[in-house]
Amino acid sequence: MTTKIQPNPSDSRFTAGDLVYIPQDVQLWAWGEGSVFSTPAPTTGIFIEERDAGVLLFIKGRRMMAKKAHIYPYAQEKK
C-alpha cells in the first residue's frame, strides 16, 4: 500500500516579510488591474505570501505577483 505525501506549507524558502531579489526581465502582474510588467533592472521586493499562480510581493508600493522560480532570497554581497 502506498500513501501520498502531502506538501508541507512550511517547506517554502520564504516567510512573510522576507526581502527577495528579482532579476531583470521578470514578468510581474497585478490581479485586479490585468497589468503585466517586466522589471527593467534587477530590483528587490518583500515577500507577502505564496499562492497557486505564484508569489505575492510588495514592490515599489504595489502588490504584484511573480512566478516563484523567478525570485530569490536576498543575500548581501560578501566583501
Side-chain angles (χ1 to χ4, degrees):
M1 182 169 148
T2 61
T3 58
K4 281 188 174 181
I5 298 173
Q6 297 294 329
N8 185 350
S10 65
D11 285 346
S12 178
R13 59 186 172 155
F14 303 107
T15 57
D18 282 354
L19 191 61
V20 296
Y21 171 78
I22 306 155
Q24 182 176 347
D25 291 328
V26 170
Q27 287 190 342
L28 306 170
W29 67 94
W31 281 117
E33 301 171 21
S35 304
V36 177
F37 305 94
S38 288
T39 53
T43 189
T44 57
I46 299 171
F47 178 83
I48 298 174
E49 67 182 12
E50 191 171 341
R51 294 192 174 171
D52 291 336
V55 293
L56 182 61
L57 306 169
F58 189 74
I59 305 167
K60 295 185 180 181
R62 299 179 69 184
R63 289 175 172 233
M64 303 293 289
M65 294 287 296
K67 290 184 178 180
K68 186 176 180 180
H70 296 167
I71 63 169
Y72 304 92
Y74 184 83
Q76 287 189 338
E77 218 177 83
K78 293 182 181 179
K79 294 183 179 182

